[in-house]
Amino acid sequence: MESITSYIEEHKQRFIDELVELLKIPSISADSAFAKATTQTATAVADSLRAAGCDTVEICETPGYPIVYADKMIDPNLPTVLVYGHYDVQPPDPLDLWDSPPFEPVIKKTDKHPDGAIFARGACDDKGQMYMHVKAMEYMTANGKLPCNVKFMIEGEEEVGSVNLAWYVARNQEKLANDVILISDTGMIANDIPSITTGLRGLSYVEVEVTGPNRDLHSGLYGGAVANPINILSKMIASLHDENNHITVKGFYDKVEELTAAERAKMGEAPFSLENYKEALDIAAVYGEKGYTTNERNSIRPTLDVNGIWGGYTGEGAKTVIASKAYAKISMRLVPHQDWEEITELFKTHFENIAPEGVTIKVTPHHGGQGYVTPIDSLGYQAAEKAYEKTFGKTPIPQRSGGSIPIVALFEKELKSKTILMGFGLDSDAIHSPNEHFGIWNYLKGIETIPYFYEYFTALKNS
Ligand code: BES
Ligand code: MN
Ligand code: MN
C-alpha cells in the first residue's frame, strides 16, 4: 500500500499525459459542428473510469450529449459519495487571442504557476478538475484505500444549461442516492490561501430583440423620423441600472437576502488586494453597485450584464443605414431566494414596459438556475476542511463564488443532499477566455486532497 504522495510522485507524468489526451478532444457542447468529438469525449471518460476501478460504467444516452455514470459499491452500510463533473467545454473563440491552439495542449510556466500550467480549452473548466477525481479513484482502488461507495456522474452539457441532466436526475433518484455530492468545478483564493466554495449564484439568461421599421432604411432619408432599434436598445439597456448601479427591473431585489453586518465583516476578512485585482485586469478603477465591496459585488449581490449586442452594419468601412432590428444577450446573476423563473418574468415585463412606441420587443428566455449556499457545519464541509488542512497545512476559508452551476440546487431538491465544492482552479486561470490553463501543482494537489475527503467523510459519518 502506497501513500497518496508517493503514488503521485511515481505516476504524475502519466497523470499529466492522460489529461493532455483528453484535452485534445474538442468537446464544445454549444457548437453542433463538434457533436462527434463531444460524444467521443464521453467514451474517453467512461474508459478512464473503468480503468480507475469502477465496476459499473454506463454511457447514458439523452436527447443531447450522453451522461457518463459509473460506480463502485463496496458495502451498502457504508456512505456513498457522488462525484459530479462535466466533460464539455466552452467555445474557444476568439481564436486569434490564443497563444497556442486551444485543443493542442502545451505546458508553460506562469507567475502564478511556477511548476507549469497546461494551456488548453477545458484544462481547468472542467476536464482537468473532473479528471483529478478519476485519478484519486485510481489511487484508492489500486491501493485498497477506498473507504466508501462512489458514484460518478459526468455530463456533457453543463456549459449549455444541463437541460438533459435535470431530466436524468429527476428520473434516477434511487440510482443516484448518496450521502454527499462532491464537485471540483470552482476555484480557490490562491495556492497558499486555500478556500472552499460555499455559494454559487443563480442565473437567468435572456435574449432581447427590438424591431423598428419593417426593413433596413437609408439613415439620411428616414433618420430622425423613425425609431432606430439600435439607439432604442442602447437607451433601454442603459436604463437597467440607476446612478448607484442598482438594477431598475421592478421587483428585482424583493427576495434578495441581505447579509448581516457580522456576516459581511466575516467575508471581509478573506485576503484580498484591490491593487492586485486592478493590476491583473489593467483597469484604473473598479465599478459596481454603491455600498458594496468588490468581493460582495461579485458574490452576494445580484447583477445584470449584457453579454453580446449586435445589429446594423458592422463590416468594413461605413454604410448609412437604420437597421430594422437590434439584439442583445443579457445575463442576470442571482443570489439565493431569488427564483430564476420569476426574475425572468420580471425582466420580460419590465423590458416590454420601458419600450417606447414605434418599436416592438421580443424577450426570449434561454436557460437559468437557482443559486446555492452550503452550510459550513455539515459533515461534508468538515471533512473537506480537514482534507485541506492535511494537504495544504492550512484551514481553508469558506468563500461564496460569483459563478453558477445551476444543477447544484437541483441536486439538493431531487436528491436531498448537500454539495461540497472543492475547486482547485484560480480566477486567473482564464476559464471561458483565451489561454485557459490549469496549474500542474493544482491538478496534483487536487488528486492528493480528494482521497482524504473520502477518508474523513466516512469516519465522520460512522462516528
Ligand atoms: N465551472 C463553471 C462555474 C464556476 C466557475 C463557478 C468558477 C464558480 C467558480 C461552470 O462551468 C460555468 O461556466 N457555469 C456557467 C453557467 C452555465 C449555465 C453556462 C456560468 O457560470 O456562466
Ligand atoms: Mn465548469
Ligand atoms: Mn464553464
Side-chain angles (χ1 to χ4, degrees):
M1 273 208 314
E2 233 178 311
S3 75
I4 180 68
T5 36
S6 67
Y7 192 79
I8 290 173
E9 204 39 54
E10 191 180 327
H11 296 279
K12 65 182 179 196
Q13 193 53 51
R14 177 173 57 82
F15 289 177
I16 295 166
D17 294 344
E18 287 176 12
L19 176 56
V20 163
E21 287 310 306
L22 194 63
L23 289 168
K24 285 182 186 170
I25 324 176
S27 48
I28 308 166
S29 52
D31 188 343
S32 56
F34 294 87
K36 221 177 125 204
T38 309
T39 310
Q40 191 194 332
T41 312
T43 308
V45 170
D47 291 346
S48 73
L49 284 164
R50 208 172 287 114
C54 287
D55 297 327
T56 306
V57 179
E58 297 166 4
I59 295 180
C60 310
E61 297 300 332
T62 75
Y65 291 114
I67 295 158
V68 181
Y69 173 86
D71 67 32
K72 189 171 181 71
M73 305 299 288
I74 55 173
D75 180 347
N77 297 314
L78 285 169
T80 301
V81 176
L82 173 68
V83 177
Y84 162 82
H86 62 96
Y87 63 80
D88 64 321
V89 304
Q90 283 277 327
D93 59 274
L95 280 174
D96 53 317
L97 294 183
W98 284 78
D99 297 330
S100 54
F103 299 105
E104 292 172 30
V106 293
I107 296 174
K108 280 185 300 190
K109 291 186 164 74
T110 73
D111 285 353
K112 292 224 159 68
H113 297 296
D115 294 344
I118 309 183
F119 283 75
R121 173 55 90 229
C124 180
D125 183 11
D126 182 40
K127 282 176 177 163
Q129 297 216 66
M130 176 270 291
Y131 207 67
M132 298 181 313
H133 288 269
V134 181
K135 293 299 100 178
M137 180 71 178
E138 174 194 308
Y139 163 73
M140 292 186 290
T141 57
N143 292 278
K145 289 270 191 182
L146 184 68
C148 60
N149 305 308
V150 194
K151 297 175 177 175
F152 284 86
M153 182 170 63
I154 314 295
E155 71 156 318
E157 298 183 304
E158 195 278 340
E159 300 291 7
V160 291
S162 303
V163 176
N164 291 300
L165 186 72
W167 179 89
Y168 180 83
V169 170
R171 271 157 196 79
N172 289 282
Q173 282 155 328
E174 207 142 304
K175 177 177 181 150
L176 301 171
N178 65 79
D179 295 278
V180 69
I181 298 170
L182 186 59
I183 304 180
S184 296
D185 193 21
T186 54
M188 57 182 191
I189 298 174
N191 285 1
D192 58 350
I193 313 172
S195 59
I196 297 176
T197 303
T198 51
L200 294 164
R201 286 196 284 194
L203 179 72
S204 163
Y205 201 109
V206 299
E207 187 164 326
V208 299
E209 180 189 293
V210 177
T211 307
N214 61 4
R215 60 185 169 89
D216 287 11
L217 302 172
H218 189 289
S219 65
L221 294 181
Y222 290 92
V226 296
N228 176 333
I230 300 177
N231 291 6
I232 300 290
L233 176 61
S234 309
K235 214 167 151 175
M236 288 172 71
I237 286 172
S239 80
L240 295 174
H241 291 91
D242 70 12
E243 66 282 6
N244 294 321
N245 277 314
H246 288 301
I247 294 155
T248 57
V249 174
K250 241 179 146 216
F252 188 83
Y253 290 100
D254 285 1
K255 296 197 176 155
V256 168
E257 173 196 34
E258 295 288 340
L259 270 66
T260 63
E263 284 172 309
R264 289 177 67 183
K266 184 93 198 126
M267 263 191 82
E269 284 170 19
F272 176 73
S273 156
L274 191 60
E275 281 319 304
N276 293 352
Y277 188 85
K278 290 191 287 188
E279 201 185 302
L281 301 176
D282 265 327
I283 50 174
V286 290
Y287 185 89
E289 188 182 5
K290 195 176 167 190
Y292 295 92
T293 65
T294 295
N295 273 335
E296 291 171 340
R297 287 170 179 169
N298 67 26
S299 64
I300 60 162
R301 297 299 295 167
T303 61
L304 185 153
D305 278 293
V306 178
N307 294 244
I309 181 164
W310 70 103
Y313 184 70
T314 57
E316 198 184 330
K319 177 187 178 189
T320 49
V321 67
I322 293 176
S324 165
K325 286 176 188 289
Y327 307 84
K329 289 185 194 278
I330 296 174
S331 68
M332 288 162 276
R333 296 281 169 174
L334 310 175
V335 297
H337 305 319
Q338 279 183 300
D339 177 76
W340 79 271
E341 283 169 313
E342 196 178 318
I343 292 289
T344 305
E345 269 314 302
L346 289 176
F347 176 87
K348 189 168 184 287
T349 307
H350 179 85
F351 209 68
E352 285 163 357
N353 284 343
I354 62 172
E357 279 181 38
V359 296
T360 54
I361 302 292
K362 195 162 122 197
V363 177
T364 311
H366 280 282
H367 50 70
Q370 315 293 35
Y372 184 72
V373 217
T374 196
I376 62 168
D377 57 3
S378 68
L379 290 188
Y381 189 89
Q382 286 169 21
E385 187 176 73
K386 279 187 70 176
Y388 280 68
E389 280 168 355
K390 175 83 184 172
T391 58
F392 287 80
K394 278 181 188 172
T395 301
I397 297 170
Q399 205 199 27
R400 286 219 221 167
S401 169
S404 309
I405 312 177
I407 203 72
V408 173
L410 201 101
F411 286 158
E412 175 148 292
K413 186 165 161 252
E414 300 285 354
L415 307 176
K416 313 272 180 276
S417 41
K418 297 273 172 246
T419 291
I420 303 302
L421 297 155
M422 289 181 31
F424 296 90
L426 300 181
D427 282 354
S428 53
D429 287 347
I431 63 170
H432 293 208
S433 303
N435 302 314
E436 174 179 352
H437 54 281
F438 189 36
I440 300 281
W441 185 89
N442 301 66
Y443 177 52
L444 301 177
K445 206 61 172 174
I447 299 171
E448 182 188 343
T449 307
I450 290 163
Y452 288 110
F453 173 83
Y454 283 75
E455 182 184 329
Y456 298 144
F457 183 74
T458 308
L460 282 170
K461 197 81 191 161
N462 289 339
S463 67

